Each structure stands twice: as structure tokens, then as C-alpha cells.
Amino acid sequence: MRKQIVAGNWKMNNDLAQTEALITELKKWTKTSDASIMVAPTFTNLWQAYQSLKDTHIEVIAQNMHFAKNGAYTGEISATMLKSVGVETVILGHSERREYFNETDELLAKKVDAALENEMTVIFCFGEVLADRKSNNHEKVVESQIKNALFHLKAWDFKRIILAYEPVWAIGTGETASPEQAQDMHAFVRKTLADKYGYEIANSVSILYGGSVKPNNAQEIFSKPDVDGGLIGGAALNAEDFFAIVNAF
Ligand code: PEP
């Protein structure tokens, strides 16, 4: 059985006091689903968040990292630095990183390798822009993002890979992919994985959906057979909404 996961990406929101306040709120809510819960505060608040949440069912994860171990990369954070503050999972390839920081598939392949070498788990994001969807190229685009960044991996590496399909046109826009569009893409991605690594691996990898998931649409999206959870942006900044989504399974 695949892991069900709901991960909140807090992006560049919340200073230390706001992070503590949100964590206090999160701790008041009870999980009634089997889903694993993760939250990704900004780098400066990871240690504090880890200390506050380490004895709970909420894992603290990072939003990004550099591929190098250390060195002259001003402003960057390495896998070992993340691990030193209790972080074992990192989001890589978010569309905002691709768009605003020019992260390419080739760069992401190096980041994935660095995370895996450090025995971290990766939430690998991919997804098409609106023009790709309109021109019916969405599957081709997604296929190449996955192949370029992940298909040099060995089958066993996929134990530490979580996929997140995030159509760029649905992120922060209030527009959601329909449950059918999400299911179609997730099934396509699973088939793409199966063609390369076989169905046993493909069926073991959790594929999350991200893009304006809210309490009022989570249940329908999560009910699709190839949707194993969500990567949540805006709604993750409110504890009640976030837990409504966690409990939507
Ligand atoms: C995201 O940024 O990963 C995301 C899914 O954002 P939102 O839920 O706000 O669309």
C-alpha cells in the first residue's frame, strides 16, 4: 500500500514568531486519517520548527537545497546542513524555483543525487504551464521533466522519492485541475515509471497533487486511485484548513 501524504509548503511566509504561532495552532488539531503530515517552513525557522514538532506526527521538511556538500555558494544550504537541524526530506523542483531561479532539469538531477547520497527523501515537483496544456503537450512536458531529472536513478532510489504533480496554471491561482485531469496525469506518470522500472516500483511511489487544493476540493481529488495526497501552498498557512485537507482522506 502506498503512503498517503499531505505536505504544506509555507514558501517565503512566516517569520519566527509567526512560525511558532502556526505550529501552536497545528498542534491543536487531531489527525483522523492515515496520511503522513509534513510542513516546510523557511530555512531560518527549520530548527525551531523541528524542536517544536519532533515528538508529534508532523515532519518538518525543507523547501529547497543546493547540490554541493559545502563551499563557495553564497546564500545556499546543503543537505548536511539540513540534516544537522533534523530535516530528512526536501522539496525539489518546485515550479517557483524553476521559474524565478532558473532551475533546470539538469540542475535538479544533481540536487536529487545530493539528497539521496545523504539518505534524504525527495519530494520532486513537476508540471506543465498553461500553454502546454492548451496545446495538448502536457504529458510530453511532464515526461521529459521526470526523465531528465530522475531516470538516471536506480530502482531502489525510488524508496526515497515522492512525486508531486503541480500544474503551474493551478498554483496559487484558485484554479484547480479537475480530479479527472489529476488522475489522468498521475496514471500517465505511473505508466512512465513502470515502462522504465517496472510496475512494482511504479506502484510503490506516492504521487501527490498540488495546485489550489482546499478543504472543499481535497476529498474529491484524493479519492482518485493514483492520487496519494497533496502538496499544499496557500491553504497550509491556516491550521484549520490544513487539517481539513489532511483529514479529507
Ligand atoms: C504549491 O505552491 O506547491 C501549491 C500547490 O500552492 P497552492 O496550494 O497555493 O496552489
Side-chain angles (χ1 to χ4, degrees), residues 9 11 94 96 166 170-172 210-213 231-234:
N9 175 11
K11 310 193 184 188
H94 192 281
E96 288 152 15
E166 298 209 304
I171 296 180
S212 299
V213 177
L231 182 54
I232 318 300

Side-chain angles (χ1 to χ4, degrees), residues 130 167 169-177 209 211-212:
L130 190 56
W169 48 272
I171 296 180
T173 59
E175 191 165 337
T176 323
Y209 168 79
S212 299

Side-chain angles (χ1 to χ4, degrees), residues 167-189:
V168 180
W169 48 272
I171 296 180
T173 59
E175 191 165 337
T176 323
S178 70
E180 292 69 31
Q181 284 174 321
Q183 168 56 28
D184 287 350
M185 182 59 91
H186 286 219
F188 171 76
V189 168

